[in-house]
Amino acid sequence: MARKKLIAGNWKMNCLLEDGTALAKAVATQVKGGKFDCDFLICPPFTLLGFVKKCLRGTKIALGAQDVHFAEKGAHTGDISPLMLKDLGCSYTLIGHSERRVDHFETNELICKKAVAAHAAGLNTVICIGETGEERDAGKTIKVCQEEINGSVPDDATAKNTVIAYEPIWAIGTGKTPTAADVQEVHAAIRKALAKKLGKATANKMRILYGGSVKPSNAEELLKLPDVDGALIGGASLKADDFIGIAKNALK
Ligand code: PEP
């Protein structure tokens, strides 16, 4: 089953107006100038969404947020609703990134609620899962991923509105990555858990990204694995050449 690869950048809490728009323009220029048989997604901080959207005009690069609230509107100071993201031109939002699970105590239940609200508003979601270093050392990687799939992915998830990102927490921003064999084993187990929850047909079509210290030099090995359908990229998405270099190597 051919799944089109998705190359997604998570800028996290980085970039101000000047460097953020320059980065978006540089990525847009390179995507326009090349032939890429993959989808692209950029998730800048909330403050830059409207500006980045303008820089991406005329390209096939999708715009995404890094989080969303589950409510439509109302008394939720500091939060952003799914419709607000749609209004700004977003077609995606990340949900349940480990940094939100840790910094903001987000639970599987809350993440699932956010995903339902995002889908209802017509947004696609990238739902992030992954184990800590301690869980990995204790041999619990697959169990943790199964639990996070069962708890975070809503029953209305389809291969169109949902992408899963497997991001081992110990690999994020550390320069460390699991072996290719380990990545494939976990992705296959995630697909199996998705099949149990959503049915085999949906699971076979759903994209599962790998995230955690992806760079141009390891992209080819990781992204050619049969159950790896793209990458969620943090640090390396802050340099246009690295972000595009990952896409080029992933498509080799
Ligand atoms: C991330 O936080 O989503 C991520 C994958 O970060 P990095 O690529 O920097 O490890």
Side-chain angles (χ1 to χ4, degrees), residues 108-133:
N108 286 328
E109 197 186 2
L110 175 65
I111 290 158
C112 186
K113 223 167 147 181
K114 289 182 176 199
V116 170
H119 296 159
L123 286 171
N124 301 315
T125 55
V126 178
I127 302 177
C128 306
I129 63 168
E131 82 286 1
T132 63

PDB file of all heavy atoms in Angstrom, residues 108-133:
ATOM      1  N   ASN A 108      -3.689  11.384  27.761  1.00  0.00           N
ATOM      2  CA  ASN A 108      -4.257  10.774  26.552  1.00  0.00           C
ATOM      3  C   ASN A 108      -5.700  11.227  26.351  1.00  0.00           C
ATOM      4  O   ASN A 108      -6.133  11.488  25.230  1.00  0.00           O
ATOM      5  CB  ASN A 108      -4.228   9.247  26.662  1.00  0.00           C
ATOM      6  CG  ASN A 108      -2.826   8.690  26.479  1.00  0.00           C
ATOM      7  OD1 ASN A 108      -2.024   9.252  25.751  1.00  0.00           O
ATOM      8  ND2 ASN A 108      -2.536   7.592  27.149  1.00  0.00           N
ATOM      9  N   GLU A 109      -6.430  11.317  27.454  1.00  0.00           N
ATOM     10  CA  GLU A 109      -7.848  11.692  27.380  1.00  0.00           C
ATOM     11  C   GLU A 109      -8.019  13.105  26.798  1.00  0.00           C
ATOM     12  O   GLU A 109      -8.854  13.339  25.918  1.00  0.00           O
ATOM     13  CB  GLU A 109      -8.424  11.630  28.795  1.00  0.00           C
ATOM     14  CG  GLU A 109      -9.916  11.590  28.834  1.00  0.00           C
ATOM     15  CD  GLU A 109     -10.435  11.677  30.263  1.00  0.00           C
ATOM     16  OE1 GLU A 109      -9.627  11.799  31.213  1.00  0.00           O
ATOM     17  OE2 GLU A 109     -11.661  11.645  30.415  1.00  0.00           O
ATOM     18  N   LEU A 110      -7.189  14.029  27.281  1.00  0.00           N
ATOM     19  CA  LEU A 110      -7.265  15.408  26.789  1.00  0.00           C
ATOM     20  C   LEU A 110      -6.859  15.468  25.302  1.00  0.00           C
ATOM     21  O   LEU A 110      -7.496  16.157  24.486  1.00  0.00           O
ATOM     22  CB  LEU A 110      -6.346  16.309  27.619  1.00  0.00           C
ATOM     23  CG  LEU A 110      -6.234  17.760  27.144  1.00  0.00           C
ATOM     24  CD1 LEU A 110      -7.572  18.484  27.276  1.00  0.00           C
ATOM     25  CD2 LEU A 110      -5.158  18.517  27.917  1.00  0.00           C
ATOM     26  N   ILE A 111      -5.829  14.733  24.975  1.00  0.00           N
ATOM     27  CA  ILE A 111      -5.327  14.734  23.591  1.00  0.00           C
ATOM     28  C   ILE A 111      -6.410  14.207  22.647  1.00  0.00           C
ATOM     29  O   ILE A 111      -6.653  14.755  21.565  1.00  0.00           O
ATOM     30  CB  ILE A 111      -4.017  13.903  23.522  1.00  0.00           C
ATOM     31  CG1 ILE A 111      -2.913  14.668  24.264  1.00  0.00           C
ATOM     32  CG2 ILE A 111      -3.612  13.590  22.086  1.00  0.00           C
ATOM     33  CD1 ILE A 111      -1.765  13.820  24.746  1.00  0.00           C
ATOM     34  N   CYS A 112      -7.096  13.167  23.089  1.00  0.00           N
ATOM     35  CA  CYS A 112      -8.175  12.578  22.288  1.00  0.00           C
ATOM     36  C   CYS A 112      -9.303  13.603  22.084  1.00  0.00           C
ATOM     37  O   CYS A 112      -9.822  13.758  20.968  1.00  0.00           O
ATOM     38  CB  CYS A 112      -8.686  11.336  23.018  1.00  0.00           C
ATOM     39  SG  CYS A 112      -9.889  10.431  22.063  1.00  0.00           S
ATOM     40  N   LYS A 113      -9.612  14.328  23.165  1.00  0.00           N
ATOM     41  CA  LYS A 113     -10.662  15.350  23.096  1.00  0.00           C
ATOM     42  C   LYS A 113     -10.277  16.458  22.107  1.00  0.00           C
ATOM     43  O   LYS A 113     -11.095  16.955  21.322  1.00  0.00           O
ATOM     44  CB  LYS A 113     -10.809  15.963  24.497  1.00  0.00           C
ATOM     45  CG  LYS A 113     -12.221  16.169  24.962  1.00  0.00           C
ATOM     46  CD  LYS A 113     -12.225  16.464  26.443  1.00  0.00           C
ATOM     47  CE  LYS A 113     -13.343  17.395  26.767  1.00  0.00           C
ATOM     48  NZ  LYS A 113     -13.422  17.757  28.175  1.00  0.00           N
ATOM     49  N   LYS A 114      -9.020  16.847  22.140  1.00  0.00           N
ATOM     50  CA  LYS A 114      -8.526  17.869  21.207  1.00  0.00           C
ATOM     51  C   LYS A 114      -8.629  17.365  19.761  1.00  0.00           C
ATOM     52  O   LYS A 114      -8.990  18.120  18.857  1.00  0.00           O
ATOM     53  CB  LYS A 114      -7.059  18.212  21.508  1.00  0.00           C
ATOM     54  CG  LYS A 114      -6.856  18.987  22.800  1.00  0.00           C
ATOM     55  CD  LYS A 114      -5.383  19.319  22.976  1.00  0.00           C
ATOM     56  CE  LYS A 114      -5.194  20.181  24.225  1.00  0.00           C
ATOM     57  NZ  LYS A 114      -3.920  20.902  24.236  1.00  0.00           N
ATOM     58  N   ALA A 115      -8.277  16.097  19.565  1.00  0.00           N
ATOM     59  CA  ALA A 115      -8.307  15.536  18.203  1.00  0.00           C
ATOM     60  C   ALA A 115      -9.734  15.527  17.667  1.00  0.00           C
ATOM     61  O   ALA A 115      -9.976  15.892  16.515  1.00  0.00           O
ATOM     62  CB  ALA A 115      -7.716  14.130  18.199  1.00  0.00           C
ATOM     63  N   VAL A 116     -10.682  15.144  18.497  1.00  0.00           N
ATOM     64  CA  VAL A 116     -12.091  15.118  18.063  1.00  0.00           C
ATOM     65  C   VAL A 116     -12.528  16.525  17.646  1.00  0.00           C
ATOM     66  O   VAL A 116     -13.146  16.711  16.591  1.00  0.00           O
ATOM     67  CB  VAL A 116     -13.002  14.572  19.199  1.00  0.00           C
ATOM     68  CG1 VAL A 116     -14.463  14.777  18.864  1.00  0.00           C
ATOM     69  CG2 VAL A 116     -12.697  13.096  19.453  1.00  0.00           C
ATOM     70  N   ALA A 117     -12.164  17.522  18.457  1.00  0.00           N
ATOM     71  CA  ALA A 117     -12.568  18.906  18.161  1.00  0.00           C
ATOM     72  C   ALA A 117     -11.883  19.396  16.885  1.00  0.00           C
ATOM     73  O   ALA A 117     -12.506  20.071  16.049  1.00  0.00           O
ATOM     74  CB  ALA A 117     -12.200  19.813  19.329  1.00  0.00           C
ATOM     75  N   ALA A 118     -10.622  19.058  16.731  1.00  0.00           N
ATOM     76  CA  ALA A 118      -9.886  19.487  15.530  1.00  0.00           C
ATOM     77  C   ALA A 118     -10.516  18.873  14.279  1.00  0.00           C
ATOM     78  O   ALA A 118     -10.761  19.566  13.284  1.00  0.00           O
ATOM     79  CB  ALA A 118      -8.419  19.088  15.643  1.00  0.00           C
ATOM     80  N   HIS A 119     -10.811  17.587  14.334  1.00  0.00           N
ATOM     81  CA  HIS A 119     -11.419  16.919  13.173  1.00  0.00           C
ATOM     82  C   HIS A 119     -12.789  17.523  12.849  1.00  0.00           C
ATOM     83  O   HIS A 119     -13.125  17.732  11.688  1.00  0.00           O
ATOM     84  CB  HIS A 119     -11.555  15.411  13.423  1.00  0.00           C
ATOM     85  CG  HIS A 119     -10.230  14.714  13.579  1.00  0.00           C
ATOM     86  ND1 HIS A 119     -10.080  13.502  14.200  1.00  0.00           N
ATOM     87  CD2 HIS A 119      -8.981  15.081  13.183  1.00  0.00           C
ATOM     88  CE1 HIS A 119      -8.812  13.149  14.180  1.00  0.00           C
ATOM     89  NE2 HIS A 119      -8.120  14.085  13.584  1.00  0.00           N
ATOM     90  N   ALA A 120     -13.558  17.810  13.902  1.00  0.00           N
ATOM     91  CA  ALA A 120     -14.899  18.370  13.691  1.00  0.00           C
ATOM     92  C   ALA A 120     -14.808  19.725  12.977  1.00  0.00           C
ATOM     93  O   ALA A 120     -15.700  20.101  12.222  1.00  0.00           O
ATOM     94  CB  ALA A 120     -15.625  18.517  15.021  1.00  0.00           C
ATOM     95  N   ALA A 121     -13.715  20.447  13.212  1.00  0.00           N
ATOM     96  CA  ALA A 121     -13.544  21.758  12.569  1.00  0.00           C
ATOM     97  C   ALA A 121     -12.898  21.625  11.186  1.00  0.00           C
ATOM     98  O   ALA A 121     -12.650  22.622  10.509  1.00  0.00           O
ATOM     99  CB  ALA A 121     -12.684  22.654  13.455  1.00  0.00           C
ATOM    100  N   GLY A 122     -12.579  20.407  10.796  1.00  0.00           N
ATOM    101  CA  GLY A 122     -11.984  20.202   9.472  1.00  0.00           C
ATOM    102  C   GLY A 122     -10.472  20.269   9.452  1.00  0.00           C
ATOM    103  O   GLY A 122      -9.858  20.393   8.391  1.00  0.00           O
ATOM    104  N   LEU A 123      -9.857  20.185  10.635  1.00  0.00           N
ATOM    105  CA  LEU A 123      -8.383  20.160  10.688  1.00  0.00           C
ATOM    106  C   LEU A 123      -7.887  18.725  10.699  1.00  0.00           C
ATOM    107  O   LEU A 123      -8.535  17.840  11.289  1.00  0.00           O
ATOM    108  CB  LEU A 123      -7.891  20.826  11.980  1.00  0.00           C
ATOM    109  CG  LEU A 123      -7.966  22.333  12.103  1.00  0.00           C
ATOM    110  CD1 LEU A 123      -7.640  22.742  13.546  1.00  0.00           C
ATOM    111  CD2 LEU A 123      -6.986  23.013  11.141  1.00  0.00           C
ATOM    112  N   ASN A 124      -6.747  18.500  10.101  1.00  0.00           N
ATOM    113  CA  ASN A 124      -6.074  17.212  10.234  1.00  0.00           C
ATOM    114  C   ASN A 124      -5.167  17.260  11.461  1.00  0.00           C
ATOM    115  O   ASN A 124      -4.670  18.335  11.818  1.00  0.00           O
ATOM    116  CB  ASN A 124      -5.220  16.920   8.998  1.00  0.00           C
ATOM    117  CG  ASN A 124      -6.050  16.900   7.739  1.00  0.00           C
ATOM    118  OD1 ASN A 124      -7.127  16.311   7.719  1.00  0.00           O
ATOM    119  ND2 ASN A 124      -5.579  17.566   6.692  1.00  0.00           N
ATOM    120  N   THR A 125      -4.941  16.125  12.057  1.00  0.00           N
ATOM    121  CA  THR A 125      -4.107  16.109  13.260  1.00  0.00           C
ATOM    122  C   THR A 125      -2.871  15.232  13.053  1.00  0.00           C
ATOM    123  O   THR A 125      -2.926  14.234  12.339  1.00  0.00           O
ATOM    124  CB  THR A 125      -4.888  15.566  14.472  1.00  0.00           C
ATOM    125  OG1 THR A 125      -5.426  14.272  14.139  1.00  0.00           O
ATOM    126  CG2 THR A 125      -6.018  16.488  14.861  1.00  0.00           C
ATOM    127  N   VAL A 126      -1.794  15.654  13.699  1.00  0.00           N
ATOM    128  CA  VAL A 126      -0.614  14.786  13.837  1.00  0.00           C
ATOM    129  C   VAL A 126      -0.542  14.460  15.326  1.00  0.00           C
ATOM    130  O   VAL A 126      -0.233  15.342  16.135  1.00  0.00           O
ATOM    131  CB  VAL A 126       0.684  15.493  13.375  1.00  0.00           C
ATOM    132  CG1 VAL A 126       1.885  14.564  13.578  1.00  0.00           C
ATOM    133  CG2 VAL A 126       0.580  15.926  11.922  1.00  0.00           C
ATOM    134  N   ILE A 127      -0.886  13.253  15.680  1.00  0.00           N
ATOM    135  CA  ILE A 127      -0.938  12.857  17.091  1.00  0.00           C
ATOM    136  C   ILE A 127       0.394  12.192  17.462  1.00  0.00           C
ATOM    137  O   ILE A 127       0.808  11.218  16.835  1.00  0.00           O
ATOM    138  CB  ILE A 127      -2.127  11.904  17.349  1.00  0.00           C
ATOM    139  CG1 ILE A 127      -3.442  12.597  16.948  1.00  0.00           C
ATOM    140  CG2 ILE A 127      -2.157  11.466  18.810  1.00  0.00           C
ATOM    141  CD1 ILE A 127      -4.690  11.725  17.098  1.00  0.00           C
ATOM    142  N   CYS A 128       1.063  12.786  18.457  1.00  0.00           N
ATOM    143  CA  CYS A 128       2.406  12.326  18.805  1.00  0.00           C
ATOM    144  C   CYS A 128       2.375  11.348  19.969  1.00  0.00           C
ATOM    145  O   CYS A 128       1.642  11.551  20.953  1.00  0.00           O
ATOM    146  CB  CYS A 128       3.281  13.517  19.194  1.00  0.00           C
ATOM    147  SG  CYS A 128       3.341  14.815  17.951  1.00  0.00           S
ATOM    148  N   ILE A 129       3.183  10.315  19.841  1.00  0.00           N
ATOM    149  CA  ILE A 129       3.316   9.313  20.905  1.00  0.00           C
ATOM    150  C   ILE A 129       4.798   8.957  21.032  1.00  0.00           C
ATOM    151  O   ILE A 129       5.583   9.277  20.153  1.00  0.00           O
ATOM    152  CB  ILE A 129       2.497   8.035  20.604  1.00  0.00           C
ATOM    153  CG1 ILE A 129       3.015   7.350  19.324  1.00  0.00           C
ATOM    154  CG2 ILE A 129       1.006   8.353  20.449  1.00  0.00           C
ATOM    155  CD1 ILE A 129       2.461   5.959  19.136  1.00  0.00           C
ATOM    156  N   GLY A 130       5.145   8.270  22.100  1.00  0.00           N
ATOM    157  CA  GLY A 130       6.541   7.819  22.234  1.00  0.00           C
ATOM    158  C   GLY A 130       6.923   7.629  23.675  1.00  0.00           C
ATOM    159  O   GLY A 130       6.362   8.263  24.572  1.00  0.00           O
ATOM    160  N   GLU A 131       7.912   6.773  23.884  1.00  0.00           N
ATOM    161  CA  GLU A 131       8.306   6.379  25.236  1.00  0.00           C
ATOM    162  C   GLU A 131       9.468   7.221  25.771  1.00  0.00           C
ATOM    163  O   GLU A 131      10.251   7.768  24.993  1.00  0.00           O
ATOM    164  CB  GLU A 131       8.685   4.892  25.251  1.00  0.00           C
ATOM    165  CG  GLU A 131      10.098   4.552  24.784  1.00  0.00           C
ATOM    166  CD  GLU A 131      10.312   4.659  23.274  1.00  0.00           C
ATOM    167  OE1 GLU A 131       9.370   5.011  22.537  1.00  0.00           O
ATOM    168  OE2 GLU A 131      11.461   4.407  22.825  1.00  0.00           O
ATOM    169  N   THR A 132       9.596   7.264  27.091  1.00  0.00           N
ATOM    170  CA  THR A 132      10.750   7.913  27.720  1.00  0.00           C
ATOM    171  C   THR A 132      11.943   6.949  27.666  1.00  0.00           C
ATOM    172  O   THR A 132      11.766   5.747  27.380  1.00  0.00           O
ATOM    173  CB  THR A 132      10.476   8.228  29.201  1.00  0.00           C
ATOM    174  OG1 THR A 132      10.261   6.971  29.888  1.00  0.00           O
ATOM    175  CG2 THR A 132       9.266   9.116  29.398  1.00  0.00           C
ATOM    176  N   GLY A 133      13.110   7.461  27.979  1.00  0.00           N
ATOM    177  CA  GLY A 133      14.303   6.607  28.028  1.00  0.00           C
ATOM    178  C   GLY A 133      14.154   5.501  29.061  1.00  0.00           C
ATOM    179  O   GLY A 133      14.554   4.354  28.847  1.00  0.00           O
TER     180      GLY A 133
END
